[in-house]
Amino acid sequence: MEQNDAGVYYCPVCDNNVRRFLPFGEPQRAHARCPCCGALERHRLDWIFFAQRTNLFDRRHKKMLHVAPEAFLVARFRNIEGIDYLSADLNDPSAMERMDLTDIHHPDDSFQVIYCSHVLEHIPNDRKALAELYRVLSLGGWAMLQVPITAEQTYEDPTIVTPEARQRHFGQWDHVRLCGPDYADRMRDAGFVVEVLPATDVVAAAECTRMGIQTDRYIFFC
């Protein structure tokens, strides 16, 4: 990604103009991390979607579940008027609640909003996790269930169990599958109505460049 003509990039999460985004990841991605708030490409796209296509900021009361909470988003979500916020994670002690997505200890219809980004590719029984997320989402509520799209079709093999083999097959030692755009079918199988939106359906290509968002990203809106 080349620097734009103005020499300034923009992060919608923290509402800052920056001279450049910082490299991040392994292998390293240039222009990935905001130097002000730490948001990555996916978070900037998701934030634009929240603002433009959802009722997250309408000030009406909503209970929100944030799975695997990114530290730089926690305060922002908690400060949104009307949001009754709960962060949850299986291992992160900073989360408000310890939660196994395959066994969520909340009643049916507990949440009006669920945000779960880059978690499901780590869970062997992701179908059970999706069923649980569907169960606790209230009628009329919505969930953004983001997964990295790294294949044309979803691929998994439960016999691949070592970190070395998972790194080789799935690109990361703690991933248990590669996800393709067809991953939305698993969400539908769980009961969700799913809209799959390319990044350029949410942000114009020129704005993707300015915000450091890859145009081949997707939104999974359930």
Side-chain angles (χ1 to χ4, degrees), residues 166-181:
R166 285 176 172 172
Q167 179 75 43
R168 187 166 60 253
H169 284 266
F170 307 131
Q172 192 165 312
W173 69 269
D174 56 350
H175 284 189
V176 298
R177 64 183 58 82
L178 296 174
C179 298

Side-chain angles (χ1 to χ4, degrees), residues 66-85:
H66 182 193
V67 181
E70 300 89 343
F72 53 85
L73 290 180
V74 171
R76 287 173 171 80
F77 285 139
R78 297 188 76 162
N79 287 334
I80 297 172
E81 187 174 346
I83 295 296
D84 180 4
Y85 176 82

Side-chain angles (χ1 to χ4, degrees), residues 174-194:
D174 56 350
H175 284 189
V176 298
R177 64 183 58 82
L178 296 174
C179 298
D182 65 312
Y183 193 79
D185 292 337
R186 297 195 186 199
M187 300 174 188
R188 296 184 181 105
D189 289 344
F192 290 107
V193 175
V194 185

Side-chain angles (χ1 to χ4, degrees), residues 193-207:
V193 175
V194 185
E195 190 174 5
V196 182
L197 297 162
T200 50
D201 279 10
V202 180
V203 183
E207 287 296 282

Side-chain angles (χ1 to χ4, degrees), residues 82-95:
I83 295 296
D84 180 4
Y85 176 82
L86 176 68
S87 64
D89 192 272
L90 183 60
N91 300 308
D92 184 355
S94 70

Side-chain angles (χ1 to χ4, degrees), residues 4-201:
N4 59 13
D5 292 341
V8 175
Y9 294 101
Y10 174 67
C11 176
V13 178
C14 61
D15 192 28
N16 277 308
N17 291 307
V18 298
R19 291 185 61 84
R20 62 189 179 95
F21 292 119
L22 303 177
F24 183 84
E26 186 61 43
Q28 201 169 77
R29 305 188 307 276
H31 302 290
R33 184 168 63 87
C34 174
C36 297
C37 70
L40 300 175
E41 307 98 324
R42 65 180 183 267
H43 305 117
R44 295 191 287 272
L45 175 62
D46 294 352
W47 197 264
I48 289 291
F49 188 86
F50 290 146
Q52 295 183 354
R53 306 287 186 93
T54 78
N55 62 357
L56 188 66
F57 299 97
D58 70 1
R59 301 182 180 180
R60 296 180 182 177
H61 178 266
K62 288 177 281 293
K63 191 168 183 179
M64 177 181 186
L65 173 62
H66 182 193
V67 181
E70 300 89 343
F72 53 85
L73 290 180
V74 171
R76 287 173 171 80
F77 285 139
R78 297 188 76 162
N79 287 334
I80 297 172
E81 187 174 346
I83 295 296
D84 180 4
Y85 176 82
L86 176 68
S87 64
D89 192 272
L90 183 60
N91 300 308
D92 184 355
S94 70
M96 297 166 67
E97 180 177 313
R98 187 177 187 275
M99 181 181 289
D100 178 352
L101 285 191
T102 66
D103 185 22
I104 299 176
H105 295 170
H106 285 267
D108 296 359
D109 308 313
S110 289
F111 302 97
Q112 288 76 49
V113 176
I114 298 174
Y115 180 50
C116 177
S117 178
H118 288 220
V119 175
L120 292 162
E121 69 276 9
H122 297 267
I123 301 176
N125 193 355
D126 62 327
R127 293 184 184 274
K128 182 67 165 63
L130 285 164
E132 280 288 272
L133 290 168
Y134 179 76
R135 180 183 66 79
V136 299
L137 184 67
S138 66
L139 182 66
W142 56 268
M144 190 181 295
L145 307 178
Q146 298 293 77
V147 292
I149 301 303
T150 52
E152 291 185 6
Q153 288 191 314
T154 301
Y155 161 68
E156 62 189 355
D157 183 342
T159 68
I160 299 171
V161 295
T162 68
E164 296 79 12
R166 285 176 172 172
Q167 179 75 43
R168 187 166 60 253
H169 284 266
F170 307 131
Q172 192 165 312
W173 69 269
D174 56 350
H175 284 189
V176 298
R177 64 183 58 82
L178 296 174
C179 298
D182 65 312
Y183 193 79
D185 292 337
R186 297 195 186 199
M187 300 174 188
R188 296 184 181 105
D189 289 344
F192 290 107
V193 175
V194 185
E195 190 174 5
V196 182
L197 297 162
T200 50
D201 279 10

